[in-house]
Amino acid sequence: MEVPTSATFCLRCGRALTSPPSVATGFGPDCTRHFRRAAPALPGFTPRQVEDALELLELGGLAPLRGRRVWLTVGHHGTTYRTASTGQCTCMAGIHGKPCYHVAAVRLIAA
C-alpha cells in the first residue's frame, strides 16, 4: 500500500484527505454530499445565494481563521472577507445587515 505524500484534514469533519480533489477543496466526498443535501433546507437565503455558497465550498474558497468561529471567504471578484458563524460578514451585504452567500457557506459547514 502506498503511503500518501500529502494529507490534510477535512475542514468539516476532521478526517484525513488524500485525494487531490478533496485536498484542493478542503472537504471530503461525504461532507460534500452533506452540503448538497443540507442546502435546500437552509433558511433565510435565496436559491441563488445557496447555489453560490455551494460553489464557494466546492472551489475551496473558505479557510478557518479562528477555529470554527471565523472563516476567510472569497468573493466573486477575488476579494477576501471575514465571515463569522454567527452571521456577520465583512462583504457589502453583511455590512448592511443583509444575508450573503458567504454566511450561507459557513452555515453549511456547521450544519
Side-chain angles (χ1 to χ4, degrees), residues 18-106:
T18 55
S19 73
S22 293
V23 170
T25 63
F27 301 103
D30 291 338
C31 289
T32 301
R33 280 191 294 276
H34 172 78
F35 299 147
R36 287 273 174 202
R37 284 191 309 267
L42 198 60
F45 298 95
T46 66
R48 176 65 186 188
Q49 287 173 321
V50 171
E51 182 181 319
D52 286 346
L54 288 170
E55 181 180 12
L56 183 66
L57 290 167
E58 290 172 358
L59 293 175
L62 278 93
L65 184 61
R66 292 189 188 118
R68 294 176 55 87
R69 295 179 307 155
V70 179
W71 296 79
L72 290 178
T73 56
V74 179
H76 288 296
H77 301 288
T79 307
T80 303
Y81 303 109
R82 283 177 172 76
T83 307
S85 58
T86 56
Q88 292 89 5
C89 186
T90 59
C91 72
M92 289 306 294
I95 289 171
H96 294 293
K98 298 179 181 177
C100 65
Y101 72 96
H102 310 110
V103 172
V106 169

